[in-house]
Amino acid sequence: MTELLTQASVLTEELKRQWAKALRERVDNAEVARRGRRADTVGFDGIGWEWETPPLGKDSIRGKQADNPVRWLLCGVAEHGSAKLRIAGCGGALVSVDWRWPWVNFPLLTRPLFDLGLSPAVGAHVLLDVAFDAFTPAGAEGRGVLFTIDNYFAHLRHGTPLTPLRTPWRPLQTA
């Protein structure tokens, strides 16, 4: 089984392929046809999921969202690894999010999650669900919640609710 992409500061084409392949290998129903369109997978709740790496084209986004309910899992491993997308605990389950030079078409997406990979701040492979209060081409700020990658796969397979991680986290130990 292909290893999940957990760390990168630059997202090469090879790493993009690794990220998508590792996700496909962990679900039973990859590349699902739905009403004339394809979804990367369909969750237990019937929602289609698109797994995407940057850049995201406006026409591609609109086409995939046109006829079917869809959510997005975005590869944000390099954004987080290069410190362009930073998180900090706010207490409880909330995190503050600061994103320098965000993807221009991000606001077009319905209910996206970021795969941040192995976050040194958290000490786990996490996904981020964020709502931005301010969004400009130079930066975005907002608040969100984190979920583990294992919780995401349980949600897809069995409908297990996405359960936010709560602070305090156990940051990775450095030698």
Side-chain angles (χ1 to χ4, degrees):
M1 188 171 286
T2 305
E3 185 176 334
L4 287 165
L5 182 61
T6 58
Q7 293 180 313
S9 57
V10 175
L11 197 58
T12 64
E13 290 302 316
E14 180 180 340
L15 291 176
K16 289 178 182 183
R17 285 189 296 276
Q18 175 187 340
W19 180 77
K21 182 178 180 188
L23 292 172
R24 281 193 309 274
E25 290 175 354
R26 285 165 173 77
V27 298
D28 297 329
N29 58 347
E31 304 292 330
V32 178
R34 303 175 67 226
R35 289 184 241 160
R37 300 213 185 261
R38 180 199 56 80
D40 289 317
T41 193
V42 174
F44 186 83
D45 57 4
I47 300 292
W49 281 86
E50 293 293 335
W51 300 325
E52 295 292 337
T53 58
L56 303 171
K58 186 185 303 186
D59 292 338
S60 175
I61 292 168
R62 289 185 175 146
K64 291 179 180 187
Q65 294 179 161
D67 301 320
N68 296 304
V70 66
R71 290 207 62 190
W72 300 82
L73 180 61
L74 309 171
C75 185
V77 176
E79 298 290 301
H80 190 53
S82 66
K84 282 179 63 179
L85 195 155
R86 294 175 289 174
I87 59 172
C90 291
L94 281 178
V95 294
S96 64
V97 181
D98 179 44
W99 190 10
R100 290 179 296 142
W101 307 109
W103 305 328
V104 66
N105 291 326
F106 180 85
L108 301 175
L109 301 169
T110 54
R111 301 181 61 206
L113 295 179
F114 279 102
D115 179 356
L116 300 183
L118 186 61
S119 176
V122 179
H125 188 148
V126 294
L127 307 180
L128 170 66
D129 188 355
V130 62
F132 289 108
D133 302 318
F135 194 96
T136 70
E141 295 176 351
R143 297 194 188 284
V145 293
L146 300 173
F147 309 101
T148 67
I149 190 79
D150 294 333
N151 184 214
Y152 172 72
F153 286 121
H155 175 72
L156 288 179
R157 289 185 197 109
H158 311 295
T160 305
L162 288 170
T163 307
L165 284 175
R166 299 183 63 79
T167 54
W169 307 312
R170 294 191 180 119
L172 294 175
Q173 301 299 315
T174 56

